[in-house]
Amino acid sequence: MGKSGTALGIIGIILAAGAVGFTFVVWNGQNTTNSDIDDLTDEVDDLTDKIDDLTDEVNNLAGLSNSTEINNLTRTIVVGIWDALDDNLDYAPYNLQNDWLFEFGDNKLNNTDYISVSNTNTRITLLKSGWYRVHISVLLSSISPSSYYRVRLLKEGAIESYLEILATSSTIDSSWHYINSYTFVFSDGTNYIEIEAASTYDTTPSIDDYNQLTIEYVAI
């Protein structure tokens, strides 16, 4: 029955009990002392308070079940998984060693009802209207001092959002930088996305054990 059904059942029992008590008071009115009536009145008041509390609980449960955030979380559909990321320099203007598109490889899941992949696995078209969650995990190599690095989500070739921005100091402890970031993007059912990486100096993805791209459709 669920929590709300249980609460409604309890309310029904309490209401029935209250009705019995009230009937008893009326039927025995001539033989009941004032003290007994006061006691029963107190009990009815207590039952009324409990009914009010349960009503509030039912309303809270109803509001929880209609919560958009909860519905979104419980109805997220994974539609794409890739376990290898590489740099692709085939498509201008993203054809430089320090400005390129991510190429997605080692495809583990591709739900063709929601996405299609083209342009040497650099472009993903979001086929169903709605919101998508795009998550990227990648280890970049060749990180240099006094440099900037950025990773951006492009929608129809225009900047949609930033997944990472890094500015290094004149001294750095490591030539590696790990990115673990996500963003949401809306598609009208025809929009395509790409992920661009740019930097002051050359950089590239490294070690596929650290790299993954996932796309989820957020059902409403």
Side-chain angles (χ1 to χ4, degrees):
M1 183 183 292
K3 289 185 177 179
S4 59
T6 301
L8 289 172
I10 293 171
I11 289 174
I13 293 170
I14 293 173
L15 285 171
V20 171
F22 179 75
T23 302
F24 179 82
V25 172
V26 174
W27 187 64
N28 292 284
Q30 293 180 344
N31 300 321
T32 304
T33 66
N34 289 335
S35 177
D36 292 334
I37 293 175
D38 290 339
D39 290 340
L40 288 172
T41 300
D42 291 339
E43 289 180 13
V44 171
D45 290 338
D46 290 340
L47 288 171
T48 301
D49 292 338
K50 290 178 181 178
I51 291 171
D52 291 338
D53 292 339
L54 287 171
T55 301
D56 291 339
E57 181 180 345
V58 170
N59 290 335
N60 289 337
L61 288 170
L64 188 63
S65 65
N66 293 326
S67 168
T68 301
E69 291 79 8
I70 289 179
N71 288 337
N72 286 348
L73 287 174
T74 56
R75 299 180 60 196
T76 299
I77 305 168
V78 179
V79 297
I81 302 175
W82 295 264
D83 277 348
L85 305 180
D86 201 357
D87 53 336
N88 183 294
L89 284 69
D90 295 340
Y91 302 99
Y94 313 111
N95 56 350
L96 305 172
Q97 289 292 337
N98 67 334
D99 194 355
W100 41 266
L101 296 176
F102 277 97
E103 182 177 319
F104 316 118
D106 192 14
N107 182 234
K108 301 296 186 183
L109 173 65
N110 189 339
N111 189 327
T112 55
D113 290 335
Y114 292 86
I115 59 174
S116 67
V117 185
S118 60
N119 282 20
T120 323
N121 296 333
T122 61
R123 177 176 294 182
I124 299 174
T125 302
L126 308 175
L127 301 174
K128 187 176 178 65
S129 177
W131 286 96
Y132 291 77
R133 181 182 186 269
V134 180
H135 180 271
I136 187 170
S137 301
V138 60
L139 182 67
L140 296 180
S141 63
S142 304
I143 301 299
S144 303
S146 303
S147 304
Y148 80 89
Y149 301 86
R150 70 170 184 244
V151 175
R152 304 188 294 196
L153 181 77
L154 308 177
K155 176 181 172 182
E156 302 287 330
I159 300 169
E160 177 71 10
S161 58
Y162 281 78
L163 288 157
E164 184 77 356
I165 296 177
L166 171 68
T168 60
S169 63
S170 57
T171 58
I172 58 175
D173 297 327
S174 174
S175 61
W176 309 87
H177 179 64
Y178 183 60
I179 298 171
N180 185 21
S181 182
Y182 70 88
T183 188
F184 289 89
V185 59
F186 183 82
S187 173
D188 63 7
T190 65
N191 300 130
Y192 67 84
I193 61 171
E194 299 157 316
I195 300 181
E196 175 215 9
S199 58
T200 306
Y201 303 105
D202 300 348
T203 187
T204 184
S206 182
I207 310 179
D208 282 339
D209 287 346
Y210 293 91
N211 301 340
Q212 186 178 73
L213 176 76
T214 61
I215 297 179
E216 299 165 81
Y217 179 76
V218 183
I220 299 176

